mmCIF file of all heavy atoms in Angstrom:
data_model
loop_
_atom_site.group_PDB
_atom_site.id
_atom_site.type_symbol
_atom_site.label_atom_id
_atom_site.label_comp_id
_atom_site.label_asym_id
_atom_site.label_seq_id
_atom_site.Cartn_x
_atom_site.Cartn_y
_atom_site.Cartn_z
ATOM 1 N N LEU A 251 6.387 3.568 13.160
ATOM 2 C CA LEU A 251 6.383 4.593 14.212
ATOM 3 C C LEU A 251 5.026 4.640 14.917
ATOM 4 O O LEU A 251 4.957 4.823 16.138
ATOM 5 C CB LEU A 251 6.707 5.960 13.603
ATOM 6 C CG LEU A 251 8.148 6.158 13.125
ATOM 7 C CD1 LEU A 251 8.307 7.518 12.448
ATOM 8 C CD2 LEU A 251 9.130 6.021 14.291
ATOM 9 N N ILE A 252 3.948 4.461 14.156
ATOM 10 C CA ILE A 252 2.606 4.446 14.760
ATOM 11 C C ILE A 252 2.483 3.275 15.723
ATOM 12 O O ILE A 252 1.948 3.404 16.833
ATOM 13 C CB ILE A 252 1.534 4.380 13.657
ATOM 14 C CG1 ILE A 252 1.476 5.700 12.895
ATOM 15 C CG2 ILE A 252 0.163 4.063 14.263
ATOM 16 C CD1 ILE A 252 0.559 5.688 11.696
ATOM 17 N N LYS A 253 2.988 2.101 15.316
ATOM 18 C CA LYS A 253 2.957 0.933 16.214
ATOM 19 C C LYS A 253 3.753 1.211 17.480
ATOM 20 O O LYS A 253 3.340 0.834 18.584
ATOM 21 C CB LYS A 253 3.518 -0.289 15.493
ATOM 22 C CG LYS A 253 2.626 -0.829 14.394
ATOM 23 C CD LYS A 253 3.245 -2.065 13.747
ATOM 24 C CE LYS A 253 2.351 -2.605 12.637
ATOM 25 N NZ LYS A 253 2.961 -3.798 11.988
ATOM 26 N N LEU A 254 4.901 1.878 17.319
ATOM 27 C CA LEU A 254 5.731 2.199 18.477
ATOM 28 C C LEU A 254 5.003 3.164 19.413
ATOM 29 O O LEU A 254 5.010 2.969 20.642
ATOM 30 C CB LEU A 254 7.060 2.813 18.004
ATOM 31 C CG LEU A 254 8.034 3.245 19.108
ATOM 32 C CD1 LEU A 254 8.441 2.039 19.946
ATOM 33 C CD2 LEU A 254 9.257 3.912 18.501
ATOM 34 N N VAL A 255 4.376 4.200 18.834
ATOM 35 C CA VAL A 255 3.640 5.164 19.661
ATOM 36 C C VAL A 255 2.496 4.475 20.394
ATOM 37 O O VAL A 255 2.279 4.703 21.597
ATOM 38 C CB VAL A 255 3.115 6.319 18.782
ATOM 39 C CG1 VAL A 255 2.151 7.196 19.574
ATOM 40 C CG2 VAL A 255 4.266 7.155 18.252
ATOM 41 N N CYS A 256 1.752 3.623 19.699
ATOM 42 C CA CYS A 256 0.630 2.908 20.324
ATOM 43 C C CYS A 256 1.122 1.979 21.427
ATOM 44 O O CYS A 256 0.480 1.837 22.477
ATOM 45 C CB CYS A 256 -0.148 2.116 19.268
ATOM 46 S SG CYS A 256 -1.054 3.148 18.089
ATOM 47 N N ARG A 257 2.292 1.340 21.203
ATOM 48 C CA ARG A 257 2.849 0.441 22.213
ATOM 49 C C ARG A 257 3.269 1.224 23.460
ATOM 50 O O ARG A 257 3.006 0.801 24.592
ATOM 51 C CB ARG A 257 4.033 -0.312 21.624
ATOM 52 C CG ARG A 257 4.505 -1.485 22.485
ATOM 53 C CD ARG A 257 5.650 -2.234 21.834
ATOM 54 N NE ARG A 257 5.282 -2.723 20.522
ATOM 55 C CZ ARG A 257 5.863 -2.347 19.399
ATOM 56 N NH1 ARG A 257 6.847 -1.448 19.426
ATOM 57 N NH2 ARG A 257 5.482 -2.846 18.238
ATOM 58 N N ILE A 258 3.906 2.377 23.240
ATOM 59 C CA ILE A 258 4.319 3.209 24.377
ATOM 60 C C ILE A 258 3.097 3.720 25.142
ATOM 61 O O ILE A 258 3.070 3.722 26.380
ATOM 62 C CB ILE A 258 5.179 4.390 23.876
ATOM 63 C CG1 ILE A 258 6.506 3.876 23.303
ATOM 64 C CG2 ILE A 258 5.436 5.382 25.012
ATOM 65 C CD1 ILE A 258 7.345 4.954 22.662
ATOM 66 N N LEU A 259 2.060 4.148 24.396
ATOM 67 C CA LEU A 259 0.830 4.631 25.028
ATOM 68 C C LEU A 259 0.172 3.526 25.849
ATOM 69 O O LEU A 259 -0.277 3.765 26.973
ATOM 70 C CB LEU A 259 -0.129 5.145 23.948
ATOM 71 C CG LEU A 259 -1.496 5.629 24.434
ATOM 72 C CD1 LEU A 259 -1.326 6.845 25.338
ATOM 73 C CD2 LEU A 259 -2.397 5.959 23.243
ATOM 74 N N LYS A 260 0.138 2.313 25.289
ATOM 75 C CA LYS A 260 -0.475 1.189 25.991
ATOM 76 C C LYS A 260 0.266 0.874 27.286
ATOM 77 O O LYS A 260 -0.349 0.692 28.340
ATOM 78 C CB LYS A 260 -0.494 -0.037 25.077
ATOM 79 C CG LYS A 260 -1.111 -1.273 25.709
ATOM 80 C CD LYS A 260 -1.113 -2.444 24.735
ATOM 81 C CE LYS A 260 -1.719 -3.680 25.370
ATOM 82 N NZ LYS A 260 -1.716 -4.835 24.423
ATOM 83 N N LYS A 261 1.603 0.829 27.213
ATOM 84 C CA LYS A 261 2.383 0.524 28.415
ATOM 85 C C LYS A 261 2.244 1.625 29.460
ATOM 86 O O LYS A 261 2.187 1.340 30.669
ATOM 87 C CB LYS A 261 3.855 0.329 28.039
ATOM 88 C CG LYS A 261 4.116 -0.941 27.236
ATOM 89 C CD LYS A 261 5.595 -1.119 26.944
ATOM 90 C CE LYS A 261 5.856 -2.407 26.183
ATOM 91 N NZ LYS A 261 7.294 -2.592 25.877
ATOM 92 N N SER A 262 2.171 2.877 29.000
ATOM 93 C CA SER A 262 2.012 3.988 29.946
ATOM 94 C C SER A 262 0.688 3.892 30.680
ATOM 95 O O SER A 262 0.622 4.087 31.905
ATOM 96 C CB SER A 262 2.106 5.326 29.198
ATOM 97 O OG SER A 262 3.366 5.472 28.580
ATOM 98 N N MET A 263 -0.384 3.579 29.948
ATOM 99 C CA MET A 263 -1.700 3.460 30.588
ATOM 100 C C MET A 263 -1.771 2.230 31.485
ATOM 101 O O MET A 263 -2.446 2.245 32.519
ATOM 102 C CB MET A 263 -2.798 3.421 29.522
ATOM 103 C CG MET A 263 -3.013 4.756 28.825
ATOM 104 S SD MET A 263 -4.484 4.806 27.779
ATOM 105 C CE MET A 263 -4.018 3.642 26.496
ATOM 106 N N GLN A 264 -1.064 1.155 31.097
ATOM 107 C CA GLN A 264 -1.033 -0.036 31.951
ATOM 108 C C GLN A 264 -0.323 0.262 33.268
ATOM 109 O O GLN A 264 -0.747 -0.205 34.326
ATOM 110 C CB GLN A 264 -0.358 -1.186 31.215
ATOM 111 C CG GLN A 264 -1.213 -1.805 30.126
ATOM 112 C CD GLN A 264 -0.471 -2.879 29.351
ATOM 113 O OE1 GLN A 264 0.754 -2.940 29.355
ATOM 114 N NE2 GLN A 264 -1.220 -3.743 28.678
ATOM 115 N N ARG A 265 0.766 1.037 33.182
ATOM 116 C CA ARG A 265 1.464 1.416 34.422
ATOM 117 C C ARG A 265 0.587 2.323 35.276
ATOM 118 O O ARG A 265 0.726 2.334 36.502
ATOM 119 C CB ARG A 265 2.785 2.109 34.079
ATOM 120 C CG ARG A 265 3.878 1.160 33.617
ATOM 121 C CD ARG A 265 5.232 1.838 33.670
ATOM 122 N NE ARG A 265 5.298 2.962 32.747
ATOM 123 C CZ ARG A 265 5.758 2.873 31.491
ATOM 124 N NH1 ARG A 265 6.181 1.709 31.030
ATOM 125 N NH2 ARG A 265 5.797 3.947 30.718
ATOM 126 N N GLY A 266 -0.286 3.075 34.646
ATOM 127 C CA GLY A 266 -1.200 3.939 35.386
ATOM 128 C C GLY A 266 -2.454 3.223 35.844
ATOM 129 O O GLY A 266 -3.391 3.866 36.326
ATOM 130 N N ASN A 267 -2.502 1.877 35.668
ATOM 131 C CA ASN A 267 -3.642 1.049 36.082
ATOM 132 C C ASN A 267 -4.947 1.495 35.420
ATOM 133 O O ASN A 267 -6.021 1.480 36.042
ATOM 134 C CB ASN A 267 -3.805 1.072 37.610
ATOM 135 C CG ASN A 267 -2.635 0.435 38.330
ATOM 136 O OD1 ASN A 267 -2.068 -0.555 37.854
ATOM 137 N ND2 ASN A 267 -2.242 0.993 39.460
ATOM 138 N N ALA A 268 -4.864 1.899 34.159
ATOM 139 C CA ALA A 268 -6.070 2.265 33.420
ATOM 140 C C ALA A 268 -6.876 1.028 33.100
ATOM 141 O O ALA A 268 -6.346 -0.089 33.010
ATOM 142 C CB ALA A 268 -5.695 3.006 32.136
ATOM 143 N N ASP A 269 -8.187 1.211 32.946
ATOM 144 C CA ASP A 269 -9.070 0.096 32.610
ATOM 145 C C ASP A 269 -8.688 -0.476 31.250
ATOM 146 O O ASP A 269 -8.295 0.262 30.337
ATOM 147 C CB ASP A 269 -10.529 0.576 32.601
ATOM 148 C CG ASP A 269 -11.493 -0.571 32.391
ATOM 149 O OD1 ASP A 269 -11.757 -1.303 33.354
ATOM 150 O OD2 ASP A 269 -11.996 -0.721 31.258
ATOM 151 N N VAL A 270 -8.824 -1.798 31.099
ATOM 152 C CA VAL A 270 -8.448 -2.448 29.840
ATOM 153 C C VAL A 270 -9.267 -1.900 28.682
ATOM 154 O O VAL A 270 -8.755 -1.683 27.579
ATOM 155 C CB VAL A 270 -8.635 -3.976 29.958
ATOM 156 C CG1 VAL A 270 -8.298 -4.652 28.629
ATOM 157 C CG2 VAL A 270 -7.755 -4.535 31.065
ATOM 158 N N GLY A 271 -10.562 -1.661 28.915
ATOM 159 C CA GLY A 271 -11.407 -1.107 27.857
ATOM 160 C C GLY A 271 -10.947 0.264 27.418
ATOM 161 O O GLY A 271 -10.964 0.587 26.216
ATOM 162 N N VAL A 272 -10.520 1.101 28.359
ATOM 163 C CA VAL A 272 -10.008 2.440 28.023
ATOM 164 C C VAL A 272 -8.737 2.326 27.188
ATOM 165 O O VAL A 272 -8.546 3.050 26.206
ATOM 166 C CB VAL A 272 -9.740 3.251 29.303
ATOM 167 C CG1 VAL A 272 -9.093 4.581 28.970
ATOM 168 C CG2 VAL A 272 -11.025 3.462 30.084
ATOM 169 N N ILE A 273 -7.871 1.400 27.561
ATOM 170 C CA ILE A 273 -6.624 1.198 26.820
ATOM 171 C C ILE A 273 -6.921 0.779 25.378
ATOM 172 O O ILE A 273 -6.338 1.307 24.422
ATOM 173 C CB ILE A 273 -5.750 0.139 27.517
ATOM 174 C CG1 ILE A 273 -5.303 0.642 28.904
ATOM 175 C CG2 ILE A 273 -4.536 -0.212 26.663
ATOM 176 C CD1 ILE A 273 -4.537 -0.379 29.705
ATOM 177 N N GLN A 274 -7.857 -0.158 25.207
ATOM 178 C CA GLN A 274 -8.186 -0.631 23.867
ATOM 179 C C GLN A 274 -8.841 0.468 23.032
ATOM 180 O O GLN A 274 -8.520 0.650 21.857
ATOM 181 C CB GLN A 274 -9.109 -1.849 23.964
ATOM 182 C CG GLN A 274 -8.444 -3.070 24.568
ATOM 183 C CD GLN A 274 -9.413 -4.208 24.780
ATOM 184 O OE1 GLN A 274 -10.624 -4.019 24.709
ATOM 185 N NE2 GLN A 274 -8.902 -5.390 25.056
ATOM 186 N N PHE A 275 -9.761 1.218 23.649
ATOM 187 C CA PHE A 275 -10.475 2.263 22.919
ATOM 188 C C PHE A 275 -9.520 3.365 22.475
ATOM 189 O O PHE A 275 -9.504 3.764 21.304
ATOM 190 C CB PHE A 275 -11.584 2.835 23.795
ATOM 191 C CG PHE A 275 -12.438 3.872 23.107
ATOM 192 C CD1 PHE A 275 -13.534 3.489 22.361
ATOM 193 C CD2 PHE A 275 -12.132 5.220 23.201
ATOM 194 C CE1 PHE A 275 -14.316 4.425 21.720
ATOM 195 C CE2 PHE A 275 -12.902 6.169 22.565
ATOM 196 C CZ PHE A 275 -14.002 5.772 21.828
ATOM 197 N N LEU A 276 -8.718 3.892 23.411
ATOM 198 C CA LEU A 276 -7.791 4.962 23.069
ATOM 199 C C LEU A 276 -6.726 4.477 22.085
ATOM 200 O O LEU A 276 -6.294 5.234 21.209
ATOM 201 C CB LEU A 276 -7.127 5.504 24.335
ATOM 202 C CG LEU A 276 -8.035 6.316 25.271
ATOM 203 C CD1 LEU A 276 -7.244 6.808 26.472
ATOM 204 C CD2 LEU A 276 -8.659 7.493 24.531
ATOM 205 N N GLY A 277 -6.325 3.213 22.227
ATOM 206 C CA GLY A 277 -5.356 2.664 21.285
ATOM 207 C C GLY A 277 -5.899 2.663 19.864
ATOM 208 O O GLY A 277 -5.200 3.050 18.920
ATOM 209 N N SER A 278 -7.168 2.250 19.705
ATOM 210 C CA SER A 278 -7.788 2.256 18.378
ATOM 211 C C SER A 278 -7.928 3.675 17.838
ATOM 212 O O SER A 278 -7.653 3.947 16.666
ATOM 213 C CB SER A 278 -9.171 1.590 18.449
ATOM 214 O OG SER A 278 -9.075 0.256 18.875
ATOM 215 N N PHE A 279 -8.341 4.606 18.710
ATOM 216 C CA PHE A 279 -8.547 5.997 18.284
ATOM 217 C C PHE A 279 -7.234 6.638 17.847
ATOM 218 O O PHE A 279 -7.156 7.270 16.783
ATOM 219 C CB PHE A 279 -9.171 6.790 19.426
ATOM 220 C CG PHE A 279 -9.399 8.243 19.100
ATOM 221 C CD1 PHE A 279 -10.441 8.626 18.280
ATOM 222 C CD2 PHE A 279 -8.554 9.219 19.612
ATOM 223 C CE1 PHE A 279 -10.649 9.961 17.968
ATOM 224 C CE2 PHE A 279 -8.750 10.550 19.314
ATOM 225 C CZ PHE A 279 -9.805 10.922 18.486
ATOM 226 N N VAL A 280 -6.196 6.474 18.637
ATOM 227 C CA VAL A 280 -4.891 7.068 18.305
ATOM 228 C C VAL A 280 -4.332 6.445 17.035
ATOM 229 O O VAL A 280 -3.787 7.146 16.169
ATOM 230 C CB VAL A 280 -3.911 6.889 19.486
ATOM 231 C CG1 VAL A 280 -2.495 7.280 19.076
ATOM 232 C CG2 VAL A 280 -4.360 7.712 20.680
ATOM 233 N N ARG A 281 -4.466 5.127 16.883
ATOM 234 C CA ARG A 281 -3.931 4.456 15.696
ATOM 235 C C ARG A 281 -4.608 4.966 14.423
ATOM 236 O O ARG A 281 -3.940 5.289 13.423
ATOM 237 C CB ARG A 281 -4.113 2.950 15.821
ATOM 238 C CG ARG A 281 -3.509 2.168 14.658
ATOM 239 C CD ARG A 281 -3.534 0.676 14.900
ATOM 240 N NE ARG A 281 -4.890 0.179 15.049
ATOM 241 C CZ ARG A 281 -5.417 -0.198 16.214
ATOM 242 N NH1 ARG A 281 -4.714 -0.117 17.326
ATOM 243 N NH2 ARG A 281 -6.649 -0.653 16.270
ATOM 244 N N ILE A 282 -5.947 5.061 14.438
ATOM 245 C CA ILE A 282 -6.674 5.535 13.250
ATOM 246 C C ILE A 282 -6.324 6.984 12.935
ATOM 247 O O ILE A 282 -6.097 7.356 11.776
ATOM 248 C CB ILE A 282 -8.190 5.367 13.471
ATOM 249 C CG1 ILE A 282 -8.558 3.875 13.521
ATOM 250 C CG2 ILE A 282 -8.978 6.066 12.364
ATOM 251 C CD1 ILE A 282 -9.999 3.616 13.859
ATOM 252 N N THR A 283 -6.250 7.824 13.979
ATOM 253 C CA THR A 283 -5.915 9.236 13.770
ATOM 254 C C THR A 283 -4.531 9.397 13.157
ATOM 255 O O THR A 283 -4.331 10.183 12.211
ATOM 256 C CB THR A 283 -5.988 9.998 15.104
ATOM 257 O OG1 THR A 283 -7.302 9.865 15.665
ATOM 258 C CG2 THR A 283 -5.686 11.471 14.903
ATOM 259 N N LEU A 284 -3.565 8.660 13.670
ATOM 260 C CA LEU A 284 -2.200 8.770 13.146
ATOM 261 C C LEU A 284 -2.102 8.261 11.711
ATOM 262 O O LEU A 284 -1.353 8.831 10.896
ATOM 263 C CB LEU A 284 -1.235 7.991 14.053
ATOM 264 C CG LEU A 284 -1.003 8.583 15.449
ATOM 265 C CD1 LEU A 284 -0.060 7.708 16.251
ATOM 266 C CD2 LEU A 284 -0.440 10.009 15.349
ATOM 267 N N TYR A 285 -2.849 7.219 11.372
ATOM 268 C CA TYR A 285 -2.834 6.728 10.000
ATOM 269 C C TYR A 285 -3.441 7.757 9.039
ATOM 270 O O TYR A 285 -2.972 7.925 7.909
ATOM 271 C CB TYR A 285 -3.580 5.397 9.889
ATOM 272 C CG TYR A 285 -2.688 4.197 10.090
ATOM 273 C CD1 TYR A 285 -2.809 3.384 11.205
ATOM 274 C CD2 TYR A 285 -1.718 3.860 9.140
ATOM 275 C CE1 TYR A 285 -1.979 2.289 11.394
ATOM 276 C CE2 TYR A 285 -0.889 2.759 9.310
ATOM 277 C CZ TYR A 285 -1.025 1.975 10.441
ATOM 278 O OH TYR A 285 -0.206 0.891 10.619
ATOM 279 N N VAL A 286 -4.509 8.443 9.477
ATOM 280 C CA VAL A 286 -5.107 9.488 8.641
ATOM 281 C C VAL A 286 -4.105 10.610 8.398
ATOM 282 O O VAL A 286 -3.929 11.093 7.269
ATOM 283 C CB VAL A 286 -6.390 10.032 9.291
ATOM 284 C CG1 VAL A 286 -6.888 11.273 8.550
ATOM 285 C CG2 VAL A 286 -7.478 8.966 9.306
ATOM 286 N N LEU A 287 -3.405 11.033 9.445
ATOM 287 C CA LEU A 287 -2.389 12.080 9.297
ATOM 288 C C LEU A 287 -1.248 11.617 8.392
ATOM 289 O O LEU A 287 -0.714 12.404 7.587
ATOM 290 C CB LEU A 287 -1.842 12.470 10.678
ATOM 291 C CG LEU A 287 -2.836 13.160 11.625
ATOM 292 C CD1 LEU A 287 -2.182 13.403 12.982
ATOM 293 C CD2 LEU A 287 -3.326 14.466 11.025
ATOM 294 N N LEU A 288 -0.876 10.356 8.501
ATOM 295 C CA LEU A 288 0.191 9.824 7.651
ATOM 296 C C LEU A 288 -0.216 9.849 6.186
ATOM 297 O O LEU A 288 0.586 10.226 5.309
ATOM 298 C CB LEU A 288 0.531 8.396 8.088
ATOM 299 C CG LEU A 288 1.575 7.644 7.247
ATOM 300 C CD1 LEU A 288 2.909 8.382 7.286
ATOM 301 C CD2 LEU A 288 1.732 6.210 7.746
ATOM 302 N N VAL A 289 -1.467 9.465 5.901
ATOM 303 C CA VAL A 289 -1.944 9.469 4.511
ATOM 304 C C VAL A 289 -1.960 10.899 3.960
ATOM 305 O O VAL A 289 -1.566 11.139 2.809
ATOM 306 C CB VAL A 289 -3.343 8.825 4.429
ATOM 307 C CG1 VAL A 289 -3.950 9.035 3.047
ATOM 308 C CG2 VAL A 289 -3.259 7.335 4.737
ATOM 309 N N PHE A 290 -2.403 11.871 4.768
ATOM 310 C CA PHE A 290 -2.397 13.262 4.326
ATOM 311 C C PHE A 290 -0.969 13.742 4.059
ATOM 312 O O PHE A 290 -0.712 14.479 3.099
ATOM 313 C CB PHE A 290 -3.056 14.163 5.372
ATOM 314 C CG PHE A 290 -4.535 14.332 5.163
ATOM 315 C CD1 PHE A 290 -5.438 13.656 5.958
ATOM 316 C CD2 PHE A 290 -5.024 15.166 4.170
ATOM 317 C CE1 PHE A 290 -6.795 13.800 5.765
ATOM 318 C CE2 PHE A 290 -6.381 15.331 3.978
ATOM 319 C CZ PHE A 290 -7.282 14.639 4.773
ATOM 320 N N PHE A 291 -0.040 13.331 4.899
ATOM 321 C CA PHE A 291 1.357 13.735 4.722
ATOM 322 C C PHE A 291 1.925 13.174 3.425
ATOM 323 O O PHE A 291 2.616 13.878 2.670
ATOM 324 C CB PHE A 291 2.181 13.259 5.912
ATOM 325 C CG PHE A 291 3.654 13.539 5.793
ATOM 326 C CD1 PHE A 291 4.150 14.824 6.003
ATOM 327 C CD2 PHE A 291 4.541 12.526 5.465
ATOM 328 C CE1 PHE A 291 5.506 15.087 5.878
ATOM 329 C CE2 PHE A 291 5.895 12.775 5.347
ATOM 330 C CZ PHE A 291 6.377 14.061 5.554
ATOM 331 N N ILE A 292 1.622 11.908 3.139
ATOM 332 C CA ILE A 292 2.111 11.291 1.910
ATOM 333 C C ILE A 292 1.448 11.937 0.696
ATOM 334 O O ILE A 292 2.088 12.199 -0.334
ATOM 335 C CB ILE A 292 1.846 9.776 1.931
ATOM 336 C CG1 ILE A 292 2.680 9.115 3.034
ATOM 337 C CG2 ILE A 292 2.153 9.145 0.588
ATOM 338 C CD1 ILE A 292 2.398 7.649 3.227
ATOM 339 N N ALA A 293 0.129 12.213 0.824
ATOM 340 C CA ALA A 293 -0.590 12.823 -0.300
ATOM 341 C C ALA A 293 -0.036 14.200 -0.635
ATOM 342 O O ALA A 293 -0.013 14.617 -1.802
ATOM 343 C CB ALA A 293 -2.077 12.910 0.023
ATOM 344 N N SER A 294 0.415 14.928 0.384
ATOM 345 C CA SER A 294 0.982 16.256 0.136
ATOM 346 C C SER A 294 2.245 16.176 -0.717
ATOM 347 O O SER A 294 2.599 17.118 -1.430
ATOM 348 C CB SER A 294 1.281 16.965 1.458
ATOM 349 O OG SER A 294 2.294 16.267 2.185
#
């Protein structure tokens, strides 16, 4: 699901003509944040 969300986010920013660096940076940030939340959810 995280990969799917990151893929959708990437395509949305590409359609919005966002800078490639912005796409890569936000993609990394969102992916790490979602993985942290997933680990907390599993730990609970």
Side-chain angles (χ1 to χ4, degrees):
L251 290 176
I252 290 174
K253 290 181 180 179
L254 178 61
V255 170
C256 291
R257 192 178 303 117
I258 294 174
L259 177 64
K260 180 179 180 180
K261 290 183 178 179
S262 299
M263 289 190 293
Q264 286 176 340
R265 284 196 296 267
N267 295 323
D269 186 79
V270 178
V272 175
I273 295 175
Q274 293 174 347
F275 183 87
L276 289 181
S278 299
F279 179 76
V280 170
R281 183 172 61 253
I282 292 175
T283 302
L284 291 179
Y285 269 112
V286 171
L287 293 176
L288 176 61
V289 170
F290 270 104
F291 176 76
I292 294 175
S294 64

